[in-house]
Amino acid sequence: GSLGGILLDHHAGIYEFFRHSLSDVQLDFILGPTSKTAIFELENCPVLVSKILWCKRLEQRSALIFVDNEAAKSALISSYSSNLVASNFLNAIASLDASEGALSWYERVPTASNPADSPSRGLAPTPLDGLPPPTEHNVYNTVEMLMTAAAAGH
């Protein structure tokens, strides 16, 4: 499994992304003891990584966040999941939004239309007209910190 995300701000000329391949240990942790697949969790985790990575850019701003999974979108909107790992991610996302004054709008898009689909598959995003080439961020330490905090129940 892998994670990916994009920050795109045409007005400021910002085009940034991250991609991260999960280790077997990280994937096992995200799956938890009851999940058969991690698709739901893998849709929510990159939102949290994005909120941490780009917290200053999102502060006091509105953001349109695309996911390509309806269950993930519903969980992000309601900030609820019965899945413990996803619930921890959702609580952290809500806390970050509140502390940053960020207003997030979540929308489901087909996978082929999701701008973050390429990074979530380990690929660089497509260059866009009128923007500089996308800048890549390494999120290894952020993902490790999230796994450690979630394992500790924080």
Side-chain angles (χ1 to χ4, degrees):
S2 58
L3 310 173
I6 288 177
L7 176 70
L8 183 58
D9 184 337
H10 279 284
H11 297 293
I14 296 169
Y15 190 18
E16 301 176 2
F17 76 102
F18 68 88
R19 55 187 165 178
H20 177 76
S21 294
L22 295 166
S23 68
D24 289 342
V25 171
Q26 291 170 333
L27 192 55
D28 286 345
F29 176 79
I30 288 175
L31 272 169
T34 58
S35 292
K36 300 287 186 249
T37 65
I39 293 171
F40 176 72
E41 296 84 353
L42 289 176
E43 291 291 332
N44 289 306
C45 187
V47 175
L48 179 54
V49 171
S50 297
K51 298 279 184 175
I52 293 168
L53 177 62
W54 294 308
C55 64
K56 292 300 178 196
R57 294 199 190 277
L58 297 173
E59 193 172 49
Q60 302 298 317
R61 299 207 46 202
S62 297
L64 178 59
I65 299 168
F66 296 114
V67 294
D68 54 16
N69 179 284
E70 189 65 37
K73 180 190 105 171
S74 296
L76 287 161
I77 291 170
S78 67
S79 197
Y80 173 78
S81 173
S82 60
N83 175 298
L84 181 61
V85 173
S87 181
N88 287 338
F89 290 160
L90 294 167
N91 287 336
I93 290 166
S95 293
L96 286 168
D97 277 350
S99 67
E100 295 167 3
L103 179 61
S104 298
W105 181 271
Y106 299 100
E107 194 59 56
R108 187 201 173 278
V109 294
T111 300
S113 299
N114 187 346
D117 189 59
S118 292
S120 73
R121 296 178 187 279
L123 306 171
T126 305
L128 297 175
D129 290 339
L131 289 173
T135 302
E136 183 169 6
H137 292 274
N138 184 325
V139 295
Y140 177 84
N141 290 335
T142 303
V143 173
E144 282 295 308
M145 181 259 320
L146 289 176
M147 297 300 154
T148 302
H154 296 86

